[in-house]
Each structure stands twice: as structure tokens, then as C-alpha cells.
Amino acid sequence: MSDEVHRRGPARDAAVVVARDDQGLVAILTADFPRHGGEYLFLPGGRRENGESPQQCAQRELQEEAGITAKRWQPLGTYAITLESTARIHLYQARDLTLGPQQLTPTEEDFKLSWWPMADAITAAAEGRFLLPAGPLALLLAERAR
């Protein structure tokens, strides 16, 4: 059994979503991450469940974490999560949004949703206010794709 399988189970792909409303505002989540020293920004996303395609994962995570469904989906790229893992991160942009209630799990109950201008979100990424790198990368790719 590899170290990766032993520590966390088999490598699972993940998805991250840049959800943009009709005014171009981006759905940003915030939560406190005490292990990492405070509150951070992040985009909706998470690990794939068995049998899910990357886009189905993105759709589910967007609905659960942000209460958002989208009619239009644009892939932004797929990247390795780390050199040691076979897991990939799939980045998407979601448009034509419908808002509903968040469906948070107990470990997500402090997730707060807010809407940011893209330029402000990219500035926050440049300031190191995102904990994980996939969110800033997705924001930059979404801005470039428009």
C-alpha cells in the first residue's frame, strides 16, 4: 500500500468553481481555519465522490457550499494537485446562476458566502488571502477566458 493510500485513502480528484453572476461578481466563501492561523477565502469545490464526473462534482459542490446552480459551464483546465499524488484538480467557470440555500455539512457550517468584483478577488489572491492555490489559479483563468 502506498503512503498516500495509507494516510488518506486512494487519491481522489477534486473540482473548484468560479461562479460569476450577471454583473460579473464572483461567489467567494470564507471560513476560519485555525490549523492555518485564521480566516481565509476560497472558492466552492471539493473532492469527487464515487461515480461522479469532474463536472458533476463541481455542480454538487457549488450547490452544497454556495447554494448555487448554473446553466452554463466552462472548463478552465485540469492540473495535478501535488507531485506525489495522481489526483487532479478540475477548474470550472459557472454562469447563468440561480441562487438557493446552502446545504452545508457540520464541518462546513461556518462557510460564509459573499460576492466580490473579480478585480478584488484577484487582489485578495495576490495578497495571500486564499489558503489553497486552486482558487487563485481558477480566478486568473476565468478572468482571462471571460
Side-chain angles (χ1 to χ4, degrees):
M1 182 180 307
S2 76
D3 247 1
E4 180 180 339
V5 171
H6 185 262
R7 282 194 320 265
R8 296 184 171 183
R12 289 189 300 152
D13 284 10
V16 169
V17 182
V18 177
R20 294 175 86 170
D21 72 7
D22 292 341
Q23 289 76 45
L25 298 176
V26 178
I28 301 286
L29 295 166
T30 58
D32 190 38
F33 293 92
R35 282 177 70 186
H36 298 281
E39 186 172 87
Y40 286 91
L41 306 174
F42 57 101
L43 297 179
R47 300 275 182 186
R48 277 176 51 190
E49 293 180 355
N50 288 337
E52 243 180 2
S53 71
Q55 186 169 321
Q56 288 169 330
C57 173
Q59 291 167 331
R60 177 183 52 76
E61 291 288 352
L62 182 63
Q63 184 171 18
E64 289 174 1
E65 293 183 353
I68 298 170
T69 57
K71 291 182 183 169
R72 290 189 314 158
W73 288 86
Q74 178 183 16
L76 298 172
T78 299
Y79 303 88
I81 293 176
T82 70
L83 293 177
E84 292 81 30
S85 173
T86 59
R88 311 283 287 174
I89 187 91
H90 304 269
L91 308 178
Y92 291 91
Q93 179 167 225
R95 298 283 215 155
D96 292 334
L97 309 179
T98 301
L99 306 182
Q102 290 173 289
Q103 301 167 13
L104 302 174
T105 67
T107 60
E108 300 168 337
E109 61 192 18
D110 67 335
F111 287 12
K112 296 177 208 87
L113 174 65
S114 57
W115 294 89
W116 292 48
M118 179 62 85
D120 292 351
I122 290 172
T123 296
E127 293 170 348
R129 294 175 59 196
F130 281 77
L131 182 59
L132 301 170
L137 177 58
L139 289 168
L140 293 170
L141 293 170
E143 179 63 5
R144 187 172 183 183
R146 288 192 186 243

